[in-house]
Amino acid sequence: IGVGLVGFGLFFILFGILLYFDSVLLAFGNILFLSGLVFIIGFKRTFTFFFQRSKMKGSSFFLGGVIIVLMKWPLLGMLLEAYGFINLFR
């Protein structure tokens, strides 16, 4: 179930970008991606991954970008998410 949710989340994110940053598709993709991540590695591990002291800057930008996308500012939100994603996995 988790891999399917992550796959559909990535599909909706890419499709939302292809359709000139459609905010509904991007928001739906973000929600599916994060819920799939929780299904794959569990709630506690997901929480500890995002809220480690060394990864707090990347997590705040990534989760802040998700919130901005949900507030219908897709371009700014995706830029914040990309910056946070790079900081999380460097």
Side-chain angles (χ1 to χ4, degrees), residues 8-30 69 74-75 78:
F8 277 118
L10 290 175
F11 170 74
F12 278 110
I13 289 171
L14 291 175
F15 197 56
I17 290 171
L18 286 175
L19 290 175
Y20 300 111
F21 293 98
D22 183 33
S23 61
V24 175
L25 289 173
L26 291 173
F28 195 60
N30 283 328
V69 167
L75 185 61
M78 289 306 291

Side-chain angles (χ1 to χ4, degrees), residues 66-78:
V66 171
I67 291 170
I68 298 291
V69 167
L70 290 174
M71 292 172 44
K72 306 250 182 187
W73 287 78
L75 185 61
L76 178 63
M78 289 306 291

